[in-house]
Amino acid sequence: MALEGALKLKEISYIHAEGYPAAEMKHGPIALIDAEMPVVFVAPKDDVYSKVVSNMQEVRARGGRLIAVTTEGNGDLAGLVDHQLRVAETIPLLSPILTVIPLQLLAYHIAVRRQCDVDRPRNLAKSVTVE
């Protein structure tokens, strides 16, 4: 889902973004973190949730700004993240479908704020933009 969110952000807002698994945070992306770097975490309550929270703490310790897509009713992140986008709790198989929606909407709203034409993104292949 992180890759999909990054792709949408690049395609419609023209902001460079990358998606990484939680386990790879310390292999490069952590070097980019500062007070000007917002980081979006996909953090539903699942089997790897504690590892994702650990990565959030690493980002916070470096002054990064945190946005989390997390499960409704998850109060654990209140003091850690700057913004939470909540999705309904569901079975693990359906979680990616729910978590991608706020990522796509985030990309959309960022693009609109940047005054990008979200209906006609530049440089996309015709197969993507024209029927």
Side-chain angles (χ1 to χ4, degrees), residues 50-80:
S50 62
K51 292 178 184 184
V52 174
V53 170
S54 175
N55 283 342
M56 288 181 187
Q57 291 166 339
E58 295 264 351
V59 170
R60 176 57 73 206
R62 287 159 177 78
R65 295 179 302 174
L66 295 160
I67 301 167
V69 177
T70 190
T71 310
E72 282 180 353
N74 183 3
D76 296 354
L77 302 178
L80 180 61

PDB file of all heavy atoms in Angstrom, residues 50-80:
ATOM      1  N   SER A  50       3.556  -3.396  15.932  1.00  0.00           N
ATOM      2  CA  SER A  50       4.574  -2.950  16.901  1.00  0.00           C
ATOM      3  C   SER A  50       5.864  -2.525  16.200  1.00  0.00           C
ATOM      4  O   SER A  50       6.532  -1.582  16.637  1.00  0.00           O
ATOM      5  CB  SER A  50       4.857  -4.029  17.940  1.00  0.00           C
ATOM      6  OG  SER A  50       5.371  -5.189  17.327  1.00  0.00           O
ATOM      7  N   LYS A  51       6.217  -3.179  15.110  1.00  0.00           N
ATOM      8  CA  LYS A  51       7.419  -2.803  14.361  1.00  0.00           C
ATOM      9  C   LYS A  51       7.219  -1.461  13.660  1.00  0.00           C
ATOM     10  O   LYS A  51       8.139  -0.648  13.578  1.00  0.00           O
ATOM     11  CB  LYS A  51       7.780  -3.887  13.350  1.00  0.00           C
ATOM     12  CG  LYS A  51       8.239  -5.156  14.018  1.00  0.00           C
ATOM     13  CD  LYS A  51       8.550  -6.233  13.028  1.00  0.00           C
ATOM     14  CE  LYS A  51       8.911  -7.485  13.803  1.00  0.00           C
ATOM     15  NZ  LYS A  51       9.322  -8.572  12.995  1.00  0.00           N
ATOM     16  N   VAL A  52       6.021  -1.238  13.160  1.00  0.00           N
ATOM     17  CA  VAL A  52       5.716   0.037  12.507  1.00  0.00           C
ATOM     18  C   VAL A  52       5.763   1.168  13.530  1.00  0.00           C
ATOM     19  O   VAL A  52       6.324   2.235  13.269  1.00  0.00           O
ATOM     20  CB  VAL A  52       4.349  -0.028  11.784  1.00  0.00           C
ATOM     21  CG1 VAL A  52       3.963   1.329  11.221  1.00  0.00           C
ATOM     22  CG2 VAL A  52       4.377  -1.066  10.671  1.00  0.00           C
ATOM     23  N   VAL A  53       5.223   0.940  14.715  1.00  0.00           N
ATOM     24  CA  VAL A  53       5.261   1.950  15.774  1.00  0.00           C
ATOM     25  C   VAL A  53       6.706   2.248  16.166  1.00  0.00           C
ATOM     26  O   VAL A  53       7.076   3.405  16.389  1.00  0.00           O
ATOM     27  CB  VAL A  53       4.422   1.512  16.995  1.00  0.00           C
ATOM     28  CG1 VAL A  53       4.663   2.431  18.183  1.00  0.00           C
ATOM     29  CG2 VAL A  53       2.943   1.486  16.632  1.00  0.00           C
ATOM     30  N   SER A  54       7.540   1.235  16.210  1.00  0.00           N
ATOM     31  CA  SER A  54       8.955   1.444  16.506  1.00  0.00           C
ATOM     32  C   SER A  54       9.591   2.358  15.460  1.00  0.00           C
ATOM     33  O   SER A  54      10.370   3.264  15.807  1.00  0.00           O
ATOM     34  CB  SER A  54       9.677   0.095  16.554  1.00  0.00           C
ATOM     35  OG  SER A  54      11.054   0.280  16.735  1.00  0.00           O
ATOM     36  N   ASN A  55       9.254   2.169  14.200  1.00  0.00           N
ATOM     37  CA  ASN A  55       9.769   3.037  13.141  1.00  0.00           C
ATOM     38  C   ASN A  55       9.236   4.459  13.285  1.00  0.00           C
ATOM     39  O   ASN A  55       9.952   5.426  13.038  1.00  0.00           O
ATOM     40  CB  ASN A  55       9.405   2.494  11.766  1.00  0.00           C
ATOM     41  CG  ASN A  55      10.281   1.341  11.360  1.00  0.00           C
ATOM     42  OD1 ASN A  55      11.351   1.128  11.919  1.00  0.00           O
ATOM     43  ND2 ASN A  55       9.835   0.577  10.392  1.00  0.00           N
ATOM     44  N   MET A  56       7.983   4.577  13.693  1.00  0.00           N
ATOM     45  CA  MET A  56       7.417   5.908  13.925  1.00  0.00           C
ATOM     46  C   MET A  56       8.205   6.639  15.011  1.00  0.00           C
ATOM     47  O   MET A  56       8.482   7.834  14.889  1.00  0.00           O
ATOM     48  CB  MET A  56       5.954   5.800  14.345  1.00  0.00           C
ATOM     49  CG  MET A  56       5.028   5.391  13.255  1.00  0.00           C
ATOM     50  SD  MET A  56       3.360   5.346  13.953  1.00  0.00           S
ATOM     51  CE  MET A  56       2.473   4.647  12.588  1.00  0.00           C
ATOM     52  N   GLN A  57       8.556   5.917  16.052  1.00  0.00           N
ATOM     53  CA  GLN A  57       9.323   6.518  17.145  1.00  0.00           C
ATOM     54  C   GLN A  57      10.698   6.971  16.665  1.00  0.00           C
ATOM     55  O   GLN A  57      11.205   8.015  17.084  1.00  0.00           O
ATOM     56  CB  GLN A  57       9.433   5.530  18.307  1.00  0.00           C
ATOM     57  CG  GLN A  57       8.104   5.299  18.985  1.00  0.00           C
ATOM     58  CD  GLN A  57       8.090   4.095  19.908  1.00  0.00           C
ATOM     59  OE1 GLN A  57       8.917   3.187  19.804  1.00  0.00           O
ATOM     60  NE2 GLN A  57       7.118   4.075  20.821  1.00  0.00           N
ATOM     61  N   GLU A  58      11.293   6.206  15.759  1.00  0.00           N
ATOM     62  CA  GLU A  58      12.593   6.583  15.176  1.00  0.00           C
ATOM     63  C   GLU A  58      12.461   7.890  14.382  1.00  0.00           C
ATOM     64  O   GLU A  58      13.322   8.769  14.467  1.00  0.00           O
ATOM     65  CB  GLU A  58      13.103   5.480  14.251  1.00  0.00           C
ATOM     66  CG  GLU A  58      13.417   4.180  14.951  1.00  0.00           C
ATOM     67  CD  GLU A  58      14.876   4.049  15.305  1.00  0.00           C
ATOM     68  OE1 GLU A  58      15.684   4.887  14.872  1.00  0.00           O
ATOM     69  OE2 GLU A  58      15.203   3.098  16.028  1.00  0.00           O
ATOM     70  N   VAL A  59      11.397   7.996  13.607  1.00  0.00           N
ATOM     71  CA  VAL A  59      11.166   9.208  12.822  1.00  0.00           C
ATOM     72  C   VAL A  59      10.912  10.394  13.746  1.00  0.00           C
ATOM     73  O   VAL A  59      11.460  11.487  13.552  1.00  0.00           O
ATOM     74  CB  VAL A  59       9.996   9.010  11.822  1.00  0.00           C
ATOM     75  CG1 VAL A  59       9.585  10.323  11.186  1.00  0.00           C
ATOM     76  CG2 VAL A  59      10.381   7.992  10.761  1.00  0.00           C
ATOM     77  N   ARG A  60      10.089  10.201  14.759  1.00  0.00           N
ATOM     78  CA  ARG A  60       9.786  11.274  15.714  1.00  0.00           C
ATOM     79  C   ARG A  60      11.057  11.744  16.415  1.00  0.00           C
ATOM     80  O   ARG A  60      11.274  12.936  16.592  1.00  0.00           O
ATOM     81  CB  ARG A  60       8.758  10.779  16.737  1.00  0.00           C
ATOM     82  CG  ARG A  60       8.424  11.744  17.831  1.00  0.00           C
ATOM     83  CD  ARG A  60       7.898  13.084  17.369  1.00  0.00           C
ATOM     84  NE  ARG A  60       6.548  12.938  16.888  1.00  0.00           N
ATOM     85  CZ  ARG A  60       5.985  13.748  15.997  1.00  0.00           C
ATOM     86  NH1 ARG A  60       6.646  14.762  15.504  1.00  0.00           N
ATOM     87  NH2 ARG A  60       4.758  13.558  15.591  1.00  0.00           N
ATOM     88  N   ALA A  61      11.934  10.811  16.768  1.00  0.00           N
ATOM     89  CA  ALA A  61      13.184  11.163  17.448  1.00  0.00           C
ATOM     90  C   ALA A  61      14.084  12.029  16.570  1.00  0.00           C
ATOM     91  O   ALA A  61      14.914  12.789  17.079  1.00  0.00           O
ATOM     92  CB  ALA A  61      13.931   9.890  17.862  1.00  0.00           C
ATOM     93  N   ARG A  62      13.899  11.946  15.256  1.00  0.00           N
ATOM     94  CA  ARG A  62      14.695  12.740  14.326  1.00  0.00           C
ATOM     95  C   ARG A  62      13.960  14.004  13.878  1.00  0.00           C
ATOM     96  O   ARG A  62      14.394  14.690  12.966  1.00  0.00           O
ATOM     97  CB  ARG A  62      15.076  11.884  13.122  1.00  0.00           C
ATOM     98  CG  ARG A  62      16.146  10.865  13.483  1.00  0.00           C
ATOM     99  CD  ARG A  62      16.193   9.701  12.517  1.00  0.00           C
ATOM    100  NE  ARG A  62      17.269   8.791  12.854  1.00  0.00           N
ATOM    101  CZ  ARG A  62      17.226   7.899  13.837  1.00  0.00           C
ATOM    102  NH1 ARG A  62      16.162   7.801  14.606  1.00  0.00           N
ATOM    103  NH2 ARG A  62      18.245   7.104  14.067  1.00  0.00           N
ATOM    104  N   GLY A  63      12.826  14.286  14.495  1.00  0.00           N
ATOM    105  CA  GLY A  63      12.100  15.512  14.201  1.00  0.00           C
ATOM    106  C   GLY A  63      11.154  15.436  13.025  1.00  0.00           C
ATOM    107  O   GLY A  63      10.619  16.451  12.598  1.00  0.00           O
ATOM    108  N   GLY A  64      10.959  14.250  12.456  1.00  0.00           N
ATOM    109  CA  GLY A  64      10.064  14.105  11.311  1.00  0.00           C
ATOM    110  C   GLY A  64       8.606  14.311  11.681  1.00  0.00           C
ATOM    111  O   GLY A  64       8.218  14.150  12.838  1.00  0.00           O
ATOM    112  N   ARG A  65       7.818  14.685  10.706  1.00  0.00           N
ATOM    113  CA  ARG A  65       6.378  14.855  10.908  1.00  0.00           C
ATOM    114  C   ARG A  65       5.689  13.564  10.488  1.00  0.00           C
ATOM    115  O   ARG A  65       5.992  13.004   9.433  1.00  0.00           O
ATOM    116  CB  ARG A  65       5.868  16.034  10.094  1.00  0.00           C
ATOM    117  CG  ARG A  65       6.489  17.345  10.600  1.00  0.00           C
ATOM    118  CD  ARG A  65       6.021  18.516   9.814  1.00  0.00           C
ATOM    119  NE  ARG A  65       6.348  18.314   8.405  1.00  0.00           N
ATOM    120  CZ  ARG A  65       5.975  19.113   7.434  1.00  0.00           C
ATOM    121  NH1 ARG A  65       5.256  20.159   7.686  1.00  0.00           N
ATOM    122  NH2 ARG A  65       6.314  18.872   6.188  1.00  0.00           N
ATOM    123  N   LEU A  66       4.752  13.093  11.297  1.00  0.00           N
ATOM    124  CA  LEU A  66       4.142  11.786  11.099  1.00  0.00           C
ATOM    125  C   LEU A  66       2.658  11.871  10.758  1.00  0.00           C
ATOM    126  O   LEU A  66       1.896  12.565  11.434  1.00  0.00           O
ATOM    127  CB  LEU A  66       4.282  10.943  12.368  1.00  0.00           C
ATOM    128  CG  LEU A  66       5.704  10.572  12.747  1.00  0.00           C
ATOM    129  CD1 LEU A  66       5.784  10.181  14.197  1.00  0.00           C
ATOM    130  CD2 LEU A  66       6.180   9.459  11.867  1.00  0.00           C
ATOM    131  N   ILE A  67       2.299  11.131   9.731  1.00  0.00           N
ATOM    132  CA  ILE A  67       0.906  10.921   9.359  1.00  0.00           C
ATOM    133  C   ILE A  67       0.708   9.411   9.360  1.00  0.00           C
ATOM    134  O   ILE A  67       1.502   8.683   8.768  1.00  0.00           O
ATOM    135  CB  ILE A  67       0.606  11.484   7.956  1.00  0.00           C
ATOM    136  CG1 ILE A  67       0.913  12.985   7.906  1.00  0.00           C
ATOM    137  CG2 ILE A  67      -0.838  11.198   7.553  1.00  0.00           C
ATOM    138  CD1 ILE A  67       0.952  13.545   6.507  1.00  0.00           C
ATOM    139  N   ALA A  68      -0.346   8.944  10.012  1.00  0.00           N
ATOM    140  CA  ALA A  68      -0.576   7.496  10.093  1.00  0.00           C
ATOM    141  C   ALA A  68      -1.952   7.147   9.557  1.00  0.00           C
ATOM    142  O   ALA A  68      -2.946   7.781   9.898  1.00  0.00           O
ATOM    143  CB  ALA A  68      -0.453   7.011  11.529  1.00  0.00           C
ATOM    144  N   VAL A  69      -1.984   6.133   8.701  1.00  0.00           N
ATOM    145  CA  VAL A  69      -3.239   5.505   8.310  1.00  0.00           C
ATOM    146  C   VAL A  69      -3.376   4.315   9.248  1.00  0.00           C
ATOM    147  O   VAL A  69      -2.564   3.390   9.209  1.00  0.00           O
ATOM    148  CB  VAL A  69      -3.222   5.044   6.834  1.00  0.00           C
ATOM    149  CG1 VAL A  69      -4.512   4.328   6.489  1.00  0.00           C
ATOM    150  CG2 VAL A  69      -2.981   6.226   5.906  1.00  0.00           C
ATOM    151  N   THR A  70      -4.372   4.372  10.105  1.00  0.00           N
ATOM    152  CA  THR A  70      -4.500   3.364  11.144  1.00  0.00           C
ATOM    153  C   THR A  70      -5.955   2.937  11.314  1.00  0.00           C
ATOM    154  O   THR A  70      -6.842   3.479  10.665  1.00  0.00           O
ATOM    155  CB  THR A  70      -3.907   3.875  12.474  1.00  0.00           C
ATOM    156  OG1 THR A  70      -3.840   2.811  13.404  1.00  0.00           O
ATOM    157  CG2 THR A  70      -4.706   5.027  13.044  1.00  0.00           C
ATOM    158  N   THR A  71      -6.164   1.999  12.188  1.00  0.00           N
ATOM    159  CA  THR A  71      -7.475   1.421  12.418  1.00  0.00           C
ATOM    160  C   THR A  71      -8.290   2.280  13.381  1.00  0.00           C
ATOM    161  O   THR A  71      -7.744   2.810  14.350  1.00  0.00           O
ATOM    162  CB  THR A  71      -7.312   0.005  13.002  1.00  0.00           C
ATOM    163  OG1 THR A  71      -6.378  -0.717  12.183  1.00  0.00           O
ATOM    164  CG2 THR A  71      -8.613  -0.743  13.031  1.00  0.00           C
ATOM    165  N   GLU A  72      -9.591   2.420  13.123  1.00  0.00           N
ATOM    166  CA  GLU A  72     -10.480   3.151  14.027  1.00  0.00           C
ATOM    167  C   GLU A  72     -10.367   2.596  15.435  1.00  0.00           C
ATOM    168  O   GLU A  72     -10.223   1.396  15.624  1.00  0.00           O
ATOM    169  CB  GLU A  72     -11.930   3.030  13.566  1.00  0.00           C
ATOM    170  CG  GLU A  72     -12.281   3.926  12.421  1.00  0.00           C
ATOM    171  CD  GLU A  72     -13.730   3.771  11.993  1.00  0.00           C
ATOM    172  OE1 GLU A  72     -14.446   2.882  12.490  1.00  0.00           O
ATOM    173  OE2 GLU A  72     -14.129   4.557  11.132  1.00  0.00           O
ATOM    174  N   GLY A  73     -10.450   3.483  16.409  1.00  0.00           N
ATOM    175  CA  GLY A  73     -10.373   3.065  17.797  1.00  0.00           C
ATOM    176  C   GLY A  73      -8.964   2.867  18.293  1.00  0.00           C
ATOM    177  O   GLY A  73      -8.739   2.524  19.446  1.00  0.00           O
ATOM    178  N   ASN A  74      -7.991   3.098  17.444  1.00  0.00           N
ATOM    179  CA  ASN A  74      -6.601   2.920  17.833  1.00  0.00           C
ATOM    180  C   ASN A  74      -6.103   4.218  18.473  1.00  0.00           C
ATOM    181  O   ASN A  74      -5.672   5.133  17.793  1.00  0.00           O
ATOM    182  CB  ASN A  74      -5.749   2.567  16.604  1.00  0.00           C
ATOM    183  CG  ASN A  74      -4.309   2.307  16.967  1.00  0.00           C
ATOM    184  OD1 ASN A  74      -3.941   2.338  18.135  1.00  0.00           O
ATOM    185  ND2 ASN A  74      -3.492   2.053  15.980  1.00  0.00           N
ATOM    186  N   GLY A  75      -6.164   4.297  19.781  1.00  0.00           N
ATOM    187  CA  GLY A  75      -5.717   5.477  20.501  1.00  0.00           C
ATOM    188  C   GLY A  75      -4.242   5.462  20.834  1.00  0.00           C
ATOM    189  O   GLY A  75      -3.713   6.417  21.385  1.00  0.00           O
ATOM    190  N   ASP A  76      -3.554   4.370  20.508  1.00  0.00           N
ATOM    191  CA  ASP A  76      -2.139   4.236  20.842  1.00  0.00           C
ATOM    192  C   ASP A  76      -1.269   5.327  20.217  1.00  0.00           C
ATOM    193  O   ASP A  76      -0.222   5.656  20.755  1.00  0.00           O
ATOM    194  CB  ASP A  76      -1.584   2.893  20.350  1.00  0.00           C
ATOM    195  CG  ASP A  76      -2.225   1.697  21.019  1.00  0.00           C
ATOM    196  OD1 ASP A  76      -3.015   1.902  21.956  1.00  0.00           O
ATOM    197  OD2 ASP A  76      -1.940   0.576  20.604  1.00  0.00           O
ATOM    198  N   LEU A  77      -1.676   5.861  19.094  1.00  0.00           N
ATOM    199  CA  LEU A  77      -0.817   6.767  18.341  1.00  0.00           C
ATOM    200  C   LEU A  77      -1.046   8.240  18.658  1.00  0.00           C
ATOM    201  O   LEU A  77      -0.349   9.100  18.121  1.00  0.00           O
ATOM    202  CB  LEU A  77      -1.021   6.536  16.840  1.00  0.00           C
ATOM    203  CG  LEU A  77      -0.746   5.114  16.349  1.00  0.00           C
ATOM    204  CD1 LEU A  77      -1.027   5.015  14.862  1.00  0.00           C
ATOM    205  CD2 LEU A  77       0.677   4.706  16.659  1.00  0.00           C
ATOM    206  N   ALA A  78      -2.004   8.542  19.516  1.00  0.00           N
ATOM    207  CA  ALA A  78      -2.405   9.929  19.762  1.00  0.00           C
ATOM    208  C   ALA A  78      -1.232  10.840  20.119  1.00  0.00           C
ATOM    209  O   ALA A  78      -1.130  11.947  19.612  1.00  0.00           O
ATOM    210  CB  ALA A  78      -3.475   9.976  20.840  1.00  0.00           C
ATOM    211  N   GLY A  79      -0.334  10.421  20.950  1.00  0.00           N
ATOM    212  CA  GLY A  79       0.782  11.267  21.351  1.00  0.00           C
ATOM    213  C   GLY A  79       1.993  11.170  20.443  1.00  0.00           C
ATOM    214  O   GLY A  79       2.945  11.923  20.604  1.00  0.00           O
ATOM    215  N   LEU A  80       1.945  10.291  19.488  1.00  0.00           N
ATOM    216  CA  LEU A  80       3.109  10.039  18.638  1.00  0.00           C
ATOM    217  C   LEU A  80       3.014  10.712  17.277  1.00  0.00           C
ATOM    218  O   LEU A  80       3.993  11.271  16.791  1.00  0.00           O
ATOM    219  CB  LEU A  80       3.288   8.521  18.466  1.00  0.00           C
ATOM    220  CG  LEU A  80       4.455   8.048  17.619  1.00  0.00           C
ATOM    221  CD1 LEU A  80       5.793   8.506  18.218  1.00  0.00           C
ATOM    222  CD2 LEU A  80       4.427   6.530  17.503  1.00  0.00           C
TER     223      LEU A  80
END
